[in-house]
Amino acid sequence: MKKILTIVGARPQFIKLAPVSRELRRSYQEIIVNTGQHYDHNMAGVFFEELNIPTPDYDLGVGSGSHGKQTGDMLAKIEQVIFDEQPDAVLVYGDTNSTLAGALAASKLHIPLFHVEAGLRSYNKLMPEEVNRVLTDHISSLLFCPTEHAISNLKKEGITENAIAVGDVMYDAVKYNIKIAEKNYSLAKFNVEKGNYILATIHRAENTDDKSRLEAIFKSLNLLADPIILPLHPRTEKLLKENGLYHLIEESTNIKIISPVSYLEMLLLEQNAKAIITDSGGVQKEAYFAKVPCFTLRDQTEWVETVEVGWNLLVNPIEHDLAHLITSFKEPSYVENLYGDGNASLKIVEHINHFFSEKEDAK
């Protein structure tokens, strides 16, 4: 049985891993490596339990650090795992430092590299995620794209072979888990009711590391009439305090801070929100899946389809009136299957099978 080394390390990757791993293990020996990029239990460990993901075979415990140090530490440790395990391929997800470290390690050791969620572009190289995804795509053996738009992005960069539109594995995950979320959790825990609150998540460096944007975001939240549920990212909390802005939460009458929630709880909160305010890539899509209007606190998004169909608005917190945008929003008609049919994971494994069959035939 061929062996595939799967590299993950951040919360969104655990979500993507769950449906793919279920399909992959029908045909392959999977070795899971958790880099430890998200080291808080609610942001990492609980996901393996909740999503019934096999316990990682390796936990590298890299933790936080500058981009260079974190990526370098991961690269060295992943390289050693590859030496020890001798996998037939390495599989990476998305656009984090864990993604890039896994991709570089595989490439340097001439191991086939499979990239799930390939071809996304924001065309903003100030975002570390953009650099990670571009570099990973250009050294991948198979590129699993969530949309035809992603395929087009790759063609612009001269990548025309082994790029396949399979759909979005996050849609697979949502379809599988939303009923479990509704069965096991209740909005009563958060003292809210369906449609009477706004859900907000803020964590990206472009917002948290820019004091003026961070201040504008929280001033905008304070102007909203609806209750706001905010699972506060530890890094966002730290930077609010360091910049003397935490009073914008303490003095707020509508912002309710909660600890980072599990994936299933997040799905429940998204499904029942009046609107969602975020800078997360994954939450933008989950909002669309839930048919909830999304207001994205970024100047660009890699998920352009959600903007094109009108369910997602890009918001500059300094220049735009967020409260007005939310109150004046008119729901457009809903476009089905923007991100596939919910069977992306099965298609990924089928293409991996074909990849190995072709290699065998070529011998």
Side-chain angles (χ1 to χ4, degrees):
M1 181 179 285
K2 291 193 180 297
K3 183 187 295 186
I4 294 180
L5 193 72
T6 295
I7 311 289
V8 290
R11 170 177 170 150
Q13 293 170 329
F14 308 144
I15 297 166
K16 296 163 194 169
L17 166 67
V20 176
S21 184
R22 276 195 299 271
E23 293 297 336
L24 197 63
R25 286 173 180 250
R26 298 180 195 274
S27 306
Y28 298 94
Q29 179 187 0
E30 184 185 32
I31 304 296
I32 297 177
V33 178
N34 177 18
T35 65
Q37 183 171 339
H38 276 176
Y39 47 92
D40 177 87
H41 183 70
N42 280 337
M43 301 192 73
V46 72
F47 276 69
F48 286 92
E49 301 162 13
E50 187 176 53
L51 299 181
N52 198 26
I53 302 168
T55 302
D57 300 275
Y58 294 86
D59 196 330
L60 304 185
V62 172
S64 63
S66 67
H67 285 287
K69 182 180 185 306
Q70 189 181 62
T71 307
D73 288 350
M74 290 175 186
L75 177 56
K77 292 184 176 183
I78 292 169
E79 184 179 64
Q80 186 59 55
V81 174
I82 292 175
F83 284 139
D84 293 342
E85 291 290 343
Q86 295 293 304
D88 296 286
V90 169
L91 188 149
V92 296
Y93 293 85
D95 54 21
T96 69
N97 290 340
S98 299
T99 310
L100 180 59
L104 288 172
S107 178
K108 297 284 187 183
L109 297 173
H110 309 294
I111 308 292
L113 176 67
F114 307 150
H115 185 199
V116 176
E117 209 172 78
L120 301 185
R121 297 293 183 267
S122 67
Y123 296 103
N124 176 8
K125 287 189 177 176
L126 294 177
M127 294 173 60
E129 296 87 355
E130 181 77 355
V131 175
N132 291 344
R133 63 173 75 106
V134 170
L135 293 175
T136 300
D137 282 342
H138 278 266
I139 55 176
S140 290
S141 308
L142 287 178
L143 300 99
F144 297 118
C145 301
T147 64
E148 290 294 339
H149 190 89
I151 295 281
S152 299
N153 289 339
L154 293 174
K155 285 180 179 176
K156 292 175 189 174
E157 296 171 16
I159 302 174
T160 56
E161 294 184 4
N162 297 320
I164 310 126
V166 294
D168 192 337
V169 296
M170 286 193 72
Y171 187 38
D172 295 20
V174 169
K175 283 185 68 177
Y176 185 87
N177 287 295
I178 187 60
K179 291 179 181 177
I180 299 172
E182 290 171 341
K183 179 181 177 181
N184 293 340
Y185 294 99
S186 167
L187 290 176
K189 173 180 177 179
F190 306 102
N191 294 316
V192 292
E193 296 177 357
K194 182 178 176 62
N196 80 341
Y197 65 93
I198 292 172
L199 177 66
T201 74
I202 299 140
H203 77 281
R204 282 195 182 260
E206 63 195 273
N207 288 321
T208 59
D209 292 1
D210 183 329
K211 182 179 178 180
S212 59
R213 283 181 73 96
L214 191 61
E215 183 174 20
I217 288 168
F218 279 88
K219 282 185 174 179
S220 296
L221 295 181
N222 277 312
L223 292 174
L224 299 176
D226 298 284
I228 297 169
I229 299 296
L230 176 63
L232 190 59
H233 193 287
R235 189 166 172 278
T236 306
E237 181 178 10
K238 176 174 173 283
L239 287 165
L240 281 166
K241 290 176 178 177
E242 286 180 0
N243 284 298
L245 299 174
Y246 197 73
H247 67 93
L248 294 173
I249 289 177
E250 293 176 313
E251 298 166 4
S252 174
T253 58
N254 66 329
I255 299 176
K256 179 183 178 183
I257 297 298
I258 62 174
S259 299
V261 293
S262 72
Y263 171 61
L264 293 180
E265 289 174 311
M266 189 66 177
L267 280 186
L268 187 73
L269 286 168
E270 289 167 345
Q271 192 77 18
N272 292 284
K274 174 182 179 180
I276 293 173
I277 300 167
T278 190
D279 57 12
S280 161
V283 173
Q284 291 173 56
K285 285 183 299 173
E286 288 166 353
Y288 167 75
F289 299 148
K291 302 182 182 179
V292 173
C294 186
F295 301 85
T296 299
L297 302 170
R298 289 165 55 180
D299 298 323
Q300 304 95 5
T301 179
E302 57 274 28
W303 300 109
V304 294
E305 299 84 6
T306 60
V307 176
E308 289 170 350
V309 299
W311 280 87
N312 187 7
L313 296 182
L314 297 178
V315 179
N316 183 314
I318 296 174
E319 297 176 3
H320 297 146
D321 184 339
L322 180 61
H324 174 72
L325 290 174
I326 291 176
T327 55
S328 62
F329 182 83
K330 298 288 190 294
E331 286 191 4
S333 58
Y334 191 76
V335 181
E336 299 284 351
N337 296 335
L338 270 186
Y339 296 103
D341 58 6
N343 292 303
S345 303
L346 178 60
K347 293 173 186 176
I348 285 169
V349 175
E350 288 174 348
H351 284 287
I352 290 174
N353 293 342
H354 183 66
F355 174 85
F356 284 125
S357 293
E358 283 195 330
K359 284 190 71 176
E360 291 295 325
D361 291 344
K363 286 182 179 179

